[in-house]
Amino acid sequence: MAYVSAAMLVEELREFTVDRWIGEPPDVAALRRFTLPPMGNLPCVLYCNFDLFWAGEQLQVVRQAALDGDLRLPELCSVTAMLLERTATRTAKWEMPETVQLLRRAASILAEWRPDTSREYAVVIEHLLMALNRIQAAVDAIIPWNDLDGAVRLRPQS
């Protein structure tokens, strides 16, 4: 059953990525309108961007740890599931239901999955990276970085 679940997860990740490859993903379109008083929209978008960026960084670390043989695969799967669940909890604050559902689905499968090889694990993580990076890149693209950099000065040292 674990192999079926991992294969199903890869297929779900592929579909998620393909369905959101062209145009703005629905979660990102909704994020454009999302606000949390008193901070408004921009801080929500910035935090969401960072949450998804950091998830990608963590996934790269666990992927490389598997390929380098630094940690055993059962522990890597468990740790990855916990990292994904934490990312889902953070991302849920920004009301990104499709992305949160994908993260939670991946976490539940990885918590139980025991791959035979580090390469098998890496392939699943690579598909997860592509799916999350698609959303993160779309979030990053709506941030007016140049405008912010030109308009905002850091507070002076006190």
Side-chain angles (χ1 to χ4, degrees), residues 67-142:
L67 294 175
D68 292 345
D70 292 340
L71 292 170
R72 294 177 9 153
L73 292 174
E75 285 79 10
L76 268 176
C77 285
S78 295
V79 167
T80 304
M82 288 185 272
L83 292 171
L84 292 173
E85 188 55 48
R86 178 66 183 147
T87 301
T89 299
R90 296 246 351 126
T91 306
K93 293 175 189 273
W94 319 122
E95 294 189 2
M96 309 257 307
E98 293 178 350
T99 305
V100 169
Q101 181 180 356
L102 182 77
L103 287 163
R104 290 206 164 118
R105 172 91 170 121
S108 71
I109 289 172
L110 286 170
E112 302 297 322
W113 182 47
R114 297 300 173 254
D116 289 329
T117 67
S118 58
R119 187 68 198 125
E120 183 181 18
Y121 171 85
V123 166
V124 171
I125 298 305
E126 289 159 8
H127 281 87
L128 190 52
L129 273 164
M130 286 186 283
L132 284 181
N133 284 346
R134 174 62 192 112
I135 302 302
Q136 190 271 322
V139 172
D140 191 74
I142 69 173

Side-chain angles (χ1 to χ4, degrees), residues 4-82:
V4 173
S5 294
M8 287 171 45
L9 176 58
V10 167
E11 187 55 35
E12 288 174 34
L13 292 167
R14 284 181 182 158
E15 287 177 20
F16 183 92
T17 304
V18 167
D19 290 348
R20 288 153 188 84
W21 196 258
I22 306 277
E24 189 169 81
D27 276 354
V28 179
L31 181 62
R32 285 178 174 276
R33 299 179 301 274
F34 181 73
T35 63
L36 280 178
M39 66 179 165
N41 176 254
L42 184 60
C44 298
V45 173
L46 290 171
Y47 278 114
C48 181
N49 187 52
F50 181 76
D51 291 339
L52 295 173
F53 171 82
W54 193 247
E57 292 296 305
Q58 293 172 325
L59 289 172
Q60 289 181 54
V61 169
V62 295
R63 176 190 171 275
Q64 197 60 51
L67 294 175
D68 292 345
D70 292 340
L71 292 170
R72 294 177 9 153
L73 292 174
E75 285 79 10
L76 268 176
C77 285
S78 295
V79 167
T80 304
M82 288 185 272

